[in-house]
Amino acid sequence: MSTSEQSPRWGVVLFHSVQGAMAAERLLLAQGVAHKLITVPRQLSSNCGFCLRFEWAQRAQVEAALTSPSLGIEGIVAL
């Protein structure tokens, strides 16, 4: 399998606001989902400048934990 065909290692959740990112971080902590609050990588766009990085294999768990529209999720993308 070539590098371009491999599954991504990381994903990020992008937010419209810092408040949404912080609230999502608390939800993921409560669910026991490993993640890290980081600055948005340059190649991505975000209104708030922060995103949550997680292991891409946990995407379904992250999506299930972050269903509230009040979080202001801009998108979930692979890195």
Side-chain angles (χ1 to χ4, degrees):
M1 185 181 282
S2 73
T3 303
S4 63
E5 295 174 3
Q6 291 178 351
S7 295
R9 166 100 196 260
W10 303 107
V12 293
V13 183
L14 303 168
F15 298 90
H16 292 287
S17 72
V18 174
Q19 292 82 4
M22 300 298 285
E25 183 177 37
R26 287 189 296 274
L27 288 171
L28 292 179
L29 281 171
Q31 296 272 331
V33 177
H35 66 281
K36 185 174 184 177
L37 186 65
I38 63 170
T39 57
V40 176
R42 289 183 181 189
Q43 72 268 27
L44 302 177
S45 172
S46 176
N47 292 327
C48 83
F50 288 97
C51 63
L52 290 175
R53 187 186 74 184
F54 62 93
E55 289 196 36
W56 191 248
Q58 293 184 308
R59 181 180 179 184
Q61 190 177 2
V62 168
E63 288 179 341
L66 304 180
T67 59
S68 174
S70 67
L71 295 174
I73 293 175
E74 189 175 307
I76 299 176
V77 297
L79 288 182

